[in-house]
Protein backbone atom coordinates (compact mmCIF):
# COMPACT_ATOMS: atom_id res chain seq x y z
CA UNK A 1 0.00 0.00 0.00
CA UNK A 2 2.83 2.38 0.81
CA UNK A 3 4.57 1.63 -2.51
CA UNK A 4 1.35 2.25 -4.49
CA UNK A 5 1.76 6.01 -4.25
CA UNK A 6 5.31 5.98 -5.66
CA UNK A 7 6.10 6.57 -9.32
CA UNK A 8 7.49 3.65 -11.40
CA UNK A 9 10.57 5.71 -12.26
CA UNK A 10 11.37 6.24 -8.58
CA UNK A 11 10.94 2.52 -7.85
CA UNK A 12 13.29 1.57 -10.70
CA UNK A 13 15.98 3.94 -9.38
CA UNK A 14 15.65 2.52 -5.84
CA UNK A 15 15.77 -1.07 -7.09
CA UNK A 16 18.92 -0.36 -9.10
CA UNK A 17 20.60 1.18 -6.05
CA UNK A 18 19.62 -1.85 -3.98
CA UNK A 19 20.98 -4.18 -6.66
CA UNK A 20 24.25 -2.23 -6.76
CA UNK A 21 24.63 -2.47 -2.97
CA UNK A 22 23.94 -6.21 -3.00
CA UNK A 23 26.50 -6.71 -5.77
CA UNK A 24 29.13 -4.76 -3.83
CA UNK A 25 28.46 -6.77 -0.68
CA UNK A 26 28.63 -10.03 -2.62
CA UNK A 27 31.94 -8.96 -4.15
CA UNK A 28 33.31 -8.18 -0.69
CA UNK A 29 32.09 -11.54 0.59
CA UNK A 30 33.85 -13.33 -2.29
CA UNK A 31 37.03 -11.36 -1.61
CA UNK A 32 37.00 -12.30 2.08
CA UNK A 33 36.24 -15.92 1.15
CA UNK A 34 39.26 -15.89 -1.14
CA UNK A 35 41.45 -14.47 1.64
CA UNK A 36 40.26 -17.25 3.97
CA UNK A 37 41.29 -19.96 1.50
CA UNK A 38 44.41 -18.12 0.25
CA UNK A 39 47.72 -19.65 1.23
CA UNK A 40 48.67 -23.23 0.29
CA UNK A 41 49.08 -22.64 -3.45
CA UNK A 42 51.03 -19.39 -3.05
CA UNK A 43 53.30 -20.73 -0.29
CA UNK A 44 54.05 -24.03 -2.05
CA UNK A 45 54.89 -22.36 -5.37
CA UNK A 46 57.07 -19.67 -3.80
CA UNK A 47 58.94 -22.21 -1.69
CA UNK A 48 60.14 -23.65 -4.99
CA UNK A 49 62.09 -20.41 -5.56
CA UNK A 50 64.59 -21.46 -2.91
CA UNK A 51 68.36 -20.87 -2.68
CA UNK A 52 69.19 -23.50 -5.30
CA UNK A 53 66.39 -22.25 -7.56
CA UNK A 54 67.68 -18.68 -7.37
CA UNK A 55 71.19 -19.93 -8.19
CA UNK A 56 69.82 -21.76 -11.23
CA UNK A 57 67.83 -18.76 -12.51
CA UNK A 58 70.84 -16.48 -11.95
CA UNK A 59 73.02 -18.88 -13.94
CA UNK A 60 70.48 -18.98 -16.76
CA UNK A 61 70.43 -15.19 -17.07
CA UNK A 62 74.20 -14.83 -16.82
CA UNK A 63 74.96 -17.60 -19.31
CA UNK A 64 72.24 -17.21 -21.92
CA UNK A 65 70.74 -13.77 -21.42
CA UNK A 66 67.04 -13.57 -22.30
CA UNK A 67 67.01 -16.52 -24.70
CA UNK A 68 65.46 -19.04 -22.27
CA UNK A 69 62.62 -16.85 -21.00
CA UNK A 70 60.15 -18.66 -23.29
CA UNK A 71 60.61 -21.80 -21.15
CA UNK A 72 58.76 -20.14 -18.26
CA UNK A 73 55.46 -20.37 -20.17
CA UNK A 74 55.34 -24.21 -20.27
CA UNK A 75 56.74 -24.17 -16.73
CA UNK A 76 53.82 -22.21 -15.31
CA UNK A 77 51.23 -24.29 -17.17
CA UNK A 78 52.77 -27.58 -16.02
CA UNK A 79 53.00 -26.50 -12.41
CA UNK A 80 49.42 -25.22 -12.34
CA UNK A 81 48.11 -28.53 -13.70
CA UNK A 82 49.98 -30.64 -11.13
CA UNK A 83 49.21 -28.34 -8.18
CA UNK A 84 45.53 -28.21 -9.13
CA UNK A 85 45.27 -32.00 -9.07
CA UNK A 86 46.81 -32.12 -5.58
CA UNK A 87 44.53 -29.38 -4.27
CA UNK A 88 41.50 -31.10 -5.79
CA UNK A 89 42.47 -34.43 -4.21
CA UNK A 90 42.94 -32.80 -0.82
CA UNK A 91 39.58 -31.02 -0.96
CA UNK A 92 37.60 -34.04 -2.24
CA UNK A 93 39.17 -36.84 -0.19
CA UNK A 94 40.25 -34.96 2.95
CA UNK A 95 43.53 -36.91 2.84
CA UNK A 96 47.14 -35.99 2.20
CA UNK A 97 49.16 -37.34 -0.72
CA UNK A 98 51.11 -39.87 1.39
CA UNK A 99 47.82 -41.11 2.88
CA UNK A 100 46.39 -41.80 -0.58
CA UNK A 101 49.59 -43.40 -1.87
CA UNK A 102 49.62 -45.80 1.11
CA UNK A 103 45.97 -46.73 0.63
CA UNK A 104 46.06 -47.16 -3.15
CA UNK A 105 49.59 -48.46 -3.85
CA UNK A 106 50.55 -50.32 -0.66
CA UNK A 107 53.09 -50.04 2.13
CA UNK A 108 56.18 -51.03 0.12
CA UNK A 109 55.78 -48.28 -2.49
CA UNK A 110 54.97 -45.79 0.26
CA UNK A 111 58.12 -46.72 2.20
CA UNK A 112 60.34 -46.32 -0.89
CA UNK A 113 58.79 -42.96 -1.81
CA UNK A 114 59.03 -41.65 1.75
CA UNK A 115 62.66 -42.75 2.10
CA UNK A 116 63.62 -40.98 -1.13
CA UNK A 117 61.66 -37.89 -0.08
CA UNK A 118 63.36 -37.84 3.33
CA UNK A 119 66.87 -38.08 1.85
CA UNK A 120 66.23 -35.49 -0.88
CA UNK A 121 64.48 -33.01 1.40
CA UNK A 122 67.20 -33.28 4.05
CA UNK A 123 69.81 -32.32 1.46
CA UNK A 124 67.75 -29.38 0.20
CA UNK A 125 67.06 -28.21 3.78
CA UNK A 126 70.81 -28.10 4.39
CA UNK A 127 71.25 -26.04 1.21
CA UNK A 128 68.60 -23.57 2.45
CA UNK A 129 70.59 -23.03 5.66
CA UNK A 130 73.71 -22.52 3.55
CA UNK A 131 71.73 -19.95 1.51
CA UNK A 132 70.82 -18.10 4.73
CA UNK A 133 74.48 -18.12 5.74
CA UNK A 134 75.58 -16.70 2.38
CA UNK A 135 72.87 -14.04 2.32
CA UNK A 136 73.56 -12.90 5.88
CA UNK A 137 77.28 -12.55 5.21
CA UNK A 138 76.52 -10.42 2.13
CA UNK A 139 74.73 -7.90 4.35
CA UNK A 140 77.43 -8.06 7.04
CA UNK A 141 75.91 -10.53 9.55
CA UNK A 142 78.09 -13.55 10.49
CA UNK A 143 76.59 -16.94 9.65
CA UNK A 144 77.21 -18.15 13.21
CA UNK A 145 74.69 -15.56 14.34
CA UNK A 146 72.20 -15.54 11.45
CA UNK A 147 71.77 -19.30 11.00
CA UNK A 148 71.01 -20.24 14.65
CA UNK A 149 68.70 -17.23 15.09
CA UNK A 150 66.82 -17.98 11.85
CA UNK A 151 66.46 -21.66 12.77
CA UNK A 152 65.18 -20.78 16.23
CA UNK A 153 62.59 -18.37 14.84
CA UNK A 154 61.24 -20.90 12.31
CA UNK A 155 61.15 -23.66 14.95
CA UNK A 156 59.34 -21.45 17.45
CA UNK A 157 56.85 -20.27 14.83
CA UNK A 158 55.87 -23.81 13.83
CA UNK A 159 56.02 -25.56 17.20
CA UNK A 160 54.36 -22.80 19.22
CA UNK A 161 52.12 -21.30 16.54
CA UNK A 162 48.79 -22.18 15.00
CA UNK A 163 48.00 -23.14 11.42
CA UNK A 164 46.65 -19.65 10.65
CA UNK A 165 49.61 -17.86 12.20
CA UNK A 166 52.19 -20.01 10.39
CA UNK A 167 50.39 -19.51 7.08
CA UNK A 168 50.20 -15.73 7.54
CA UNK A 169 53.92 -15.50 8.32
CA UNK A 170 54.79 -17.66 5.30
CA UNK A 171 52.60 -15.45 3.10
CA UNK A 172 54.34 -12.35 4.47
CA UNK A 173 57.72 -13.94 3.68
CA UNK A 174 56.58 -14.33 0.06
CA UNK A 175 56.51 -10.52 -0.26
CA UNK A 176 60.31 -10.46 -0.09
CA UNK A 177 60.39 -11.81 -3.66
CA UNK A 178 59.47 -8.31 -4.88
CA UNK A 179 63.15 -7.52 -4.25
CA UNK A 180 63.92 -9.34 -7.49
CA UNK A 181 61.42 -7.21 -9.37
CA UNK A 182 63.21 -4.09 -8.10
CA UNK A 183 66.60 -5.63 -8.99
CA UNK A 184 65.41 -6.18 -12.55
CA UNK A 185 64.11 -2.61 -12.82
CA UNK A 186 67.42 -1.24 -11.53
CA UNK A 187 69.22 -3.32 -14.15
CA UNK A 188 67.36 -1.41 -16.94
CA UNK A 189 66.87 -4.31 -19.35
CA UNK A 190 65.77 -3.95 -22.96
CA UNK A 191 62.07 -4.68 -22.42
CA UNK A 192 61.48 -5.18 -26.15
CA UNK A 193 64.08 -7.94 -26.20
CA UNK A 194 62.55 -9.40 -23.02
CA UNK A 195 59.08 -9.52 -24.60
CA UNK A 196 60.42 -11.11 -27.79
CA UNK A 197 62.24 -13.80 -25.78
CA UNK A 198 58.98 -14.82 -24.10
CA UNK A 199 57.05 -15.34 -27.35
CA UNK A 200 59.81 -16.50 -29.71
CA UNK A 201 61.41 -19.78 -28.56
CA UNK A 202 65.05 -20.31 -29.47
CA UNK A 203 67.03 -23.55 -29.51
CA UNK A 204 70.73 -24.29 -29.60
CA UNK A 205 72.29 -27.68 -30.29
CA UNK A 206 74.70 -27.23 -27.39
CA UNK A 207 75.06 -29.61 -24.44
CA UNK A 208 75.10 -26.86 -21.84
CA UNK A 209 72.07 -25.12 -23.38
CA UNK A 210 70.05 -28.35 -23.42
CA UNK A 211 71.13 -29.14 -19.86
CA UNK A 212 70.00 -25.71 -18.70
CA UNK A 213 66.64 -26.15 -20.43
CA UNK A 214 66.22 -29.50 -18.68
CA UNK A 215 67.13 -27.90 -15.35
CA UNK A 216 64.49 -25.20 -15.83
CA UNK A 217 61.60 -27.40 -16.91
CA UNK A 218 62.50 -30.76 -15.42
CA UNK A 219 63.08 -29.46 -11.89
CA UNK A 220 60.25 -26.93 -11.71
CA UNK A 221 57.83 -29.46 -10.22
CA UNK A 222 59.45 -30.72 -7.02
CA UNK A 223 57.90 -33.51 -4.91
CA UNK A 224 57.86 -31.57 -1.64
CA UNK A 225 55.62 -28.86 -3.16
CA UNK A 226 52.91 -31.39 -3.99
CA UNK A 227 53.03 -32.98 -0.54
CA UNK A 228 52.86 -29.61 1.19
CA UNK A 229 50.02 -28.10 -0.83
CA UNK A 230 47.76 -31.14 -0.44
CA UNK A 231 48.44 -31.56 3.29
CA UNK A 232 47.80 -27.89 4.07
CA UNK A 233 44.56 -27.89 2.08
CA UNK A 234 43.42 -30.86 4.19
CA UNK A 235 44.46 -29.17 7.44
CA UNK A 236 42.54 -26.02 6.52
CA UNK A 237 39.43 -28.19 6.28
CA UNK A 238 38.39 -27.00 2.83
CA UNK A 239 35.38 -28.69 1.23
CA UNK A 240 34.07 -28.99 -2.33
CA UNK A 241 32.41 -25.56 -2.14
CA UNK A 242 35.89 -24.05 -1.65
CA UNK A 243 37.36 -25.79 -4.70
CA UNK A 244 36.99 -22.85 -7.17
CA UNK A 245 38.76 -20.48 -4.76
CA UNK A 246 41.43 -23.09 -3.96
CA UNK A 247 42.08 -23.41 -7.69
CA UNK A 248 42.39 -19.62 -7.95
CA UNK A 249 44.95 -19.75 -5.12
CA UNK A 250 47.01 -22.27 -7.11
CA UNK A 251 46.84 -20.22 -10.32
CA UNK A 252 47.72 -16.93 -8.63
CA UNK A 253 50.49 -18.45 -6.49
CA UNK A 254 52.11 -20.40 -9.31
CA UNK A 255 51.96 -17.47 -11.73
CA UNK A 256 53.50 -15.14 -9.13
CA UNK A 257 56.32 -17.60 -8.35
CA UNK A 258 57.22 -18.16 -12.02
CA UNK A 259 57.06 -14.42 -12.77
CA UNK A 260 59.54 -13.82 -9.93
CA UNK A 261 61.82 -16.52 -11.35
CA UNK A 262 61.68 -14.77 -14.73
CA UNK A 263 62.62 -11.45 -13.11
CA UNK A 264 65.71 -13.11 -11.59
CA UNK A 265 66.76 -14.23 -15.06
CA UNK A 266 66.05 -10.75 -16.46
CA UNK A 267 68.12 -8.99 -13.76
CA UNK A 268 71.22 -11.14 -14.30
CA UNK A 269 70.79 -11.19 -18.08
CA UNK A 270 70.68 -7.39 -18.22
CA UNK A 271 73.80 -7.04 -16.08
CA UNK A 272 76.12 -10.04 -15.80
CA UNK A 273 75.52 -11.44 -19.30
CA UNK A 274 76.09 -8.06 -20.96
CA UNK A 275 79.29 -7.59 -18.95
CA UNK A 276 80.65 -10.98 -20.01
CA UNK A 277 80.18 -12.59 -16.59
CA UNK A 278 78.80 -15.98 -17.58
CA UNK A 279 79.67 -18.21 -14.64
CA UNK A 280 77.51 -18.12 -11.50
CA UNK A 281 77.81 -20.97 -9.01
CA UNK A 282 75.44 -19.65 -6.30
CA UNK A 283 72.90 -16.94 -5.62
CA UNK A 284 75.45 -15.20 -3.39
CA UNK A 285 77.93 -15.05 -6.27
CA UNK A 286 75.25 -13.45 -8.43
CA UNK A 287 74.53 -10.83 -5.76
CA UNK A 288 78.21 -9.95 -5.42
CA UNK A 289 78.66 -9.74 -9.19
CA UNK A 290 75.72 -7.33 -9.49
CA UNK A 291 77.33 -4.71 -7.21
CA UNK A 292 80.01 -3.30 -9.59
CA UNK A 293 77.55 -3.33 -12.51
CA UNK A 294 74.36 -1.90 -11.01
CA UNK A 295 75.42 -0.77 -7.54
CA UNK A 296 75.25 -1.84 -3.93
CA UNK A 297 71.46 -1.44 -3.77
CA UNK A 298 70.92 -4.23 -6.28
CA UNK A 299 73.36 -6.43 -4.39
CA UNK A 300 71.51 -5.92 -1.11
CA UNK A 301 68.11 -6.41 -2.76
CA UNK A 302 69.34 -9.69 -4.22
CA UNK A 303 70.77 -10.75 -0.85
CA UNK A 304 67.55 -9.87 1.02
CA UNK A 305 65.56 -11.81 -1.54
CA UNK A 306 67.86 -14.82 -1.10
CA UNK A 307 67.53 -14.62 2.68
CA UNK A 308 63.72 -14.45 2.57
CA UNK A 309 63.48 -17.25 -0.01
CA UNK A 310 65.73 -19.53 2.03
CA UNK A 311 63.76 -18.73 5.21
CA UNK A 312 60.46 -19.65 3.51
CA UNK A 313 61.85 -22.88 2.07
CA UNK A 314 63.52 -23.68 5.40
CA UNK A 315 60.07 -23.68 6.99
CA UNK A 316 58.11 -25.38 4.18
CA UNK A 317 60.53 -28.24 3.41
CA UNK A 318 60.72 -29.71 6.94
CA UNK A 319 56.95 -29.30 7.24
CA UNK A 320 56.33 -31.12 3.96
CA UNK A 321 58.63 -33.92 5.11
CA UNK A 322 56.95 -34.13 8.52
CA UNK A 323 53.50 -34.21 6.90
CA UNK A 324 54.44 -36.99 4.47
CA UNK A 325 56.20 -39.17 7.06
CA UNK A 326 53.39 -38.79 9.60
CA UNK A 327 50.73 -39.55 6.99
CA UNK A 328 52.62 -42.60 5.72
CA UNK A 329 53.09 -43.96 9.24
CA UNK A 330 49.57 -43.08 10.37
CA UNK A 331 50.58 -40.65 13.14
CA UNK A 332 48.80 -37.50 14.30
CA UNK A 333 49.86 -34.35 12.47
CA UNK A 334 49.00 -30.66 12.24
CA UNK A 335 50.36 -27.20 12.95
CA UNK A 336 47.79 -26.64 15.68
CA UNK A 337 48.91 -29.77 17.56
CA UNK A 338 51.20 -29.69 20.59
CA UNK A 339 54.23 -31.93 21.10
CA UNK A 340 52.11 -34.13 23.35
CA UNK A 341 49.41 -34.48 20.65
CA UNK A 342 51.72 -34.95 17.62
CA UNK A 343 55.19 -35.96 18.89
CA UNK A 344 56.26 -37.70 15.65
CA UNK A 345 55.15 -34.83 13.39
CA UNK A 346 56.84 -32.09 15.42
CA UNK A 347 59.77 -34.38 16.27
CA UNK A 348 60.58 -34.95 12.58
CA UNK A 349 60.33 -31.20 11.95
CA UNK A 350 62.69 -30.45 14.88
CA UNK A 351 65.28 -33.07 13.87
CA UNK A 352 65.41 -31.74 10.30
CA UNK A 353 65.93 -28.18 11.55
CA UNK A 354 68.76 -29.33 13.83
CA UNK A 355 70.44 -31.32 11.03
CA UNK A 356 70.23 -28.38 8.61
CA UNK A 357 71.54 -25.95 11.21
CA UNK A 358 74.46 -28.17 12.23
CA UNK A 359 75.67 -29.11 8.76
CA UNK A 360 75.36 -25.56 7.35
CA UNK A 361 77.79 -24.27 9.99
CA UNK A 362 80.53 -26.69 8.87
CA UNK A 363 83.21 -24.60 7.06
CA UNK A 364 83.70 -25.36 3.37
CA UNK A 365 80.64 -27.56 2.90
CA UNK A 366 80.45 -28.58 -0.81
CA UNK A 367 77.10 -26.98 -1.60
CA UNK A 368 77.16 -27.64 -5.35
CA UNK A 369 77.87 -31.36 -4.99
CA UNK A 370 75.19 -31.58 -2.29
CA UNK A 371 72.66 -29.98 -4.61
CA UNK A 372 73.61 -32.32 -7.47
CA UNK A 373 73.05 -35.31 -5.18
CA UNK A 374 69.68 -34.11 -3.87
CA UNK A 375 68.65 -33.06 -7.37
CA UNK A 376 69.35 -36.60 -8.55
CA UNK A 377 67.25 -38.13 -5.75
CA UNK A 378 64.42 -35.70 -6.50
CA UNK A 379 64.74 -36.48 -10.18
CA UNK A 380 64.29 -40.21 -9.53
CA UNK A 381 61.36 -39.57 -7.20
CA UNK A 382 59.57 -37.05 -9.41
CA UNK A 383 58.29 -39.48 -12.11
CA UNK A 384 56.94 -41.80 -9.40
CA UNK A 385 55.13 -38.93 -7.64
CA UNK A 386 53.71 -37.53 -10.89
CA UNK A 387 52.41 -40.90 -12.04
CA UNK A 388 50.83 -41.46 -8.62
CA UNK A 389 49.18 -38.01 -8.70
CA UNK A 390 47.66 -38.48 -12.16
CA UNK A 391 46.44 -42.03 -11.38
CA UNK A 392 44.90 -40.91 -8.07
CA UNK A 393 43.28 -37.80 -9.57
CA UNK A 394 41.82 -39.99 -12.37
CA UNK A 395 40.38 -42.60 -9.99
CA UNK A 396 36.60 -42.15 -9.89
CA UNK A 397 36.29 -44.47 -6.89
CA UNK A 398 38.00 -41.90 -4.68
CA UNK A 399 37.37 -38.70 -6.67
CA UNK A 400 33.82 -39.26 -7.94
CA UNK A 401 32.63 -36.54 -10.30
CA UNK A 402 35.76 -34.50 -9.52
CA UNK A 403 38.09 -37.00 -11.22
CA UNK A 404 40.17 -35.88 -14.20
CA UNK A 405 38.21 -35.58 -17.44
CA UNK A 406 39.30 -37.23 -20.67
CA UNK A 407 41.08 -34.22 -22.21
CA UNK A 408 42.52 -33.02 -18.89
CA UNK A 409 43.91 -36.52 -18.38
CA UNK A 410 45.61 -36.50 -21.79
CA UNK A 411 47.19 -33.13 -20.95
CA UNK A 412 48.25 -34.33 -17.46
CA UNK A 413 49.87 -37.52 -18.82
CA UNK A 414 51.68 -35.49 -21.49
CA UNK A 415 53.12 -33.16 -18.85
CA UNK A 416 54.05 -36.13 -16.66
CA UNK A 417 55.86 -37.86 -19.54
CA UNK A 418 57.78 -34.78 -20.69
CA UNK A 419 58.80 -33.65 -17.20
CA UNK A 420 59.79 -37.21 -16.20
CA UNK A 421 61.97 -37.65 -19.30
CA UNK A 422 63.64 -34.27 -18.75
CA UNK A 423 64.20 -35.07 -15.08
CA UNK A 424 65.83 -38.43 -15.83
CA UNK A 425 67.99 -36.85 -18.55
CA UNK A 426 69.05 -34.20 -16.05
CA UNK A 427 70.12 -36.90 -13.58
CA UNK A 428 72.24 -38.60 -16.22
CA UNK A 429 73.95 -35.36 -17.18
CA UNK A 430 74.50 -34.37 -13.53
CA UNK A 431 76.03 -37.71 -12.58
CA UNK A 432 78.30 -37.65 -15.63
CA UNK A 433 79.34 -34.10 -14.73
CA UNK A 434 80.53 -35.19 -11.28
CA UNK A 435 83.33 -37.16 -12.92
CA UNK A 436 84.64 -34.34 -15.07
CA UNK A 437 85.74 -30.74 -14.28
CA UNK A 438 83.12 -27.97 -14.41
CA UNK A 439 83.34 -26.27 -17.77
CA UNK A 440 81.01 -23.43 -18.53
CA UNK A 441 78.17 -23.33 -16.07
CA UNK A 442 77.56 -24.53 -12.55
CA UNK A 443 73.99 -25.15 -11.47
Amino acid sequence: MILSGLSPKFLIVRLRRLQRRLTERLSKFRFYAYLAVLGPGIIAANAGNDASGIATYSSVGAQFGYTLLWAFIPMVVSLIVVQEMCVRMGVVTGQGLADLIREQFGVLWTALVMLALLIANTGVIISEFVGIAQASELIGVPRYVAVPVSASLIWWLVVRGTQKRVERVFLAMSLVFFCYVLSAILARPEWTAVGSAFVMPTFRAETVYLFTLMALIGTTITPFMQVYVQSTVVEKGLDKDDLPIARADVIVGTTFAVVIAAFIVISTAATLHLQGIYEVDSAATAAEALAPVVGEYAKYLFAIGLFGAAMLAMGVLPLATAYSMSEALGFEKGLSRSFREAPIFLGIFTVLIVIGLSVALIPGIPQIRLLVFTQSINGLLLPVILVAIVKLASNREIMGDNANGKYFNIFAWTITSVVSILSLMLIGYSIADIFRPWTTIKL
Side-chain angles (χ1 to χ4, degrees):
M1 296 295 293
I2 296 175
L3 295 176
S4 61
L6 300 176
S7 67
K9 185 176 180 181
F10 177 80
L11 287 174
I12 291 172
V13 171
R14 293 301 299 269
L15 285 172
R16 285 177 177 173
R17 287 179 181 175
L18 180 61
Q19 183 183 18
R20 194 180 304 117
R21 288 177 184 175
L22 288 173
T23 302
E24 290 174 356
R25 290 185 180 181
L26 183 60
S27 299
K28 288 181 180 179
F29 174 77
R30 287 174 178 167
F31 176 72
Y32 291 136
Y34 175 72
L35 290 181
V37 176
L38 183 73
I42 292 177
I43 294 169
N46 281 302
N49 287 342
D50 58 358
S52 58
I54 293 169
T56 300
Y57 301 137
S58 301
S59 297
V60 169
Q63 182 74 9
F64 298 106
Y66 306 127
T67 57
L68 275 169
L69 286 175
W70 64 269
F72 286 97
I73 296 176
M75 280 168 57
V76 71
V77 174
S78 301
L79 190 52
I80 286 173
V81 169
V82 176
Q83 294 275 66
E84 190 277 335
M85 285 190 287
C86 290
V87 166
R88 181 158 32 96
M89 284 193 291
V91 170
V92 173
T93 67
Q95 294 178 280
L97 186 56
D99 268 333
L100 291 175
I101 290 175
R102 186 186 72 243
E103 287 185 2
Q104 299 296 319
F105 301 109
V107 176
L108 179 60
W109 271 110
T110 306
L112 290 174
V113 169
M114 291 304 107
L115 178 61
L117 190 68
L118 177 63
I119 295 172
N121 284 1
T122 301
V124 180
I125 289 165
I126 293 170
S127 73
E128 303 311 331
F129 277 96
V130 174
I132 287 174
Q134 293 176 339
S136 64
E137 289 175 345
L138 282 172
I139 56 179
V141 179
R143 70 171 58 197
Y144 297 102
V145 174
V147 173
V149 170
S150 301
S152 300
L153 287 174
I154 290 293
W155 182 87
W156 180 84
L157 170 67
V158 171
V159 174
R160 306 296 297 176
T162 63
Q163 188 270 335
K164 285 185 178 180
R165 184 185 302 167
V166 172
E167 194 171 83
R168 286 170 183 169
V169 173
F170 283 173
L171 282 171
M173 286 182 182
S174 299
L175 297 176
V176 77
F177 288 107
F178 282 107
C179 288
Y180 294 114
V181 178
L182 294 176
S183 293
I185 293 172
L186 286 174
R188 297 180 180 177
E190 296 180 22
W191 293 109
T192 304
V194 170
S196 298
F198 271 112
V199 298
M200 298 178 63
T202 56
F203 295 94
R204 297 183 192 174
E206 301 172 7
T207 303
V208 175
Y209 185 87
L210 295 175
F211 168 73
T212 307
L213 181 59
M214 288 186 288
L216 276 177
I217 300 176
T219 61
T220 299
I221 305 171
T222 53
F224 83 84
M225 294 167 64
Q226 318 321 317
V227 171
Y228 178 83
V229 75
Q230 187 163 336
S231 295
T232 48
V233 161
V234 172
E235 188 169 352
K236 283 174 78 75
L238 304 184
D239 56 29
K240 293 180 182 179
D241 292 336
D242 299 314
L243 190 53
I245 302 177
R247 282 178 174 140
D249 178 43
V250 165
I251 294 170
V252 171
T254 302
T255 303
F256 175 77
V258 175
V259 166
I260 294 299
F263 270 110
I264 297 172
V265 173
I266 292 169
S267 63
T268 52
T271 52
L272 308 186
H273 182 74
L274 291 181
Q275 295 294 319
I277 303 172
Y278 303 135
E279 188 173 318
V280 175
D281 58 5
S282 71
T285 303
E288 288 179 329
L290 281 174
V293 182
V294 187
E296 290 293 323
Y297 288 116
K299 170 186 173 180
Y300 290 130
L301 282 172
F302 215 84
I304 292 169
L306 171 60
F307 184 86
M311 282 283 285
L312 177 60
M314 186 180 71
V316 171
L317 269 157
L319 273 178
T321 310
Y323 273 125
S324 61
M325 299 299 291
S326 300
E327 289 170 3
L329 297 172
F331 289 110
E332 194 68 47
K333 64 187 183 301
L335 291 171
S336 299
R337 308 289 184 184
S338 65
F339 249 111
R340 181 177 297 179
E341 296 170 321
I344 301 299
F345 174 74
L346 293 176
I348 293 172
F349 175 82
T350 301
V351 169
L352 290 172
I353 291 289
V354 171
I355 291 174
L357 164 66
S358 303
V359 177
L361 293 178
I362 299 174
I365 179 173
Q367 186 188 15
I368 296 299
R369 296 302 171 94
L370 176 66
L371 288 175
V372 168
F373 174 72
T374 55
Q375 187 181 62
S376 298
I377 299 294
N378 264 328
L380 288 171
L381 179 60
L382 184 59
V384 178
I385 290 287
L386 290 179
V387 169
I389 289 171
V390 179
K391 287 179 73 68
L392 289 168
S394 306
N395 190 335
R396 292 199 172 273
E397 290 184 6
I398 61 176
M399 295 295 292
D401 294 336
N402 293 105
N404 290 350
K406 177 181 176 181
Y407 295 109
F408 187 96
N409 231 15
I410 293 172
F411 193 45
W413 278 117
T414 301
I415 289 173
T416 298
S417 302
V418 171
V419 172
S420 297
I421 291 169
L422 289 172
S423 186
L424 293 173
M425 289 173 64
L426 182 63
I427 294 171
Y429 189 98
S430 299
I431 292 174
D433 219 30
I434 292 176
F435 300 101
R436 64 172 178 263
W438 297 99
T439 52
T440 310
I441 187 170
K442 299 178 182 180
L443 291 178

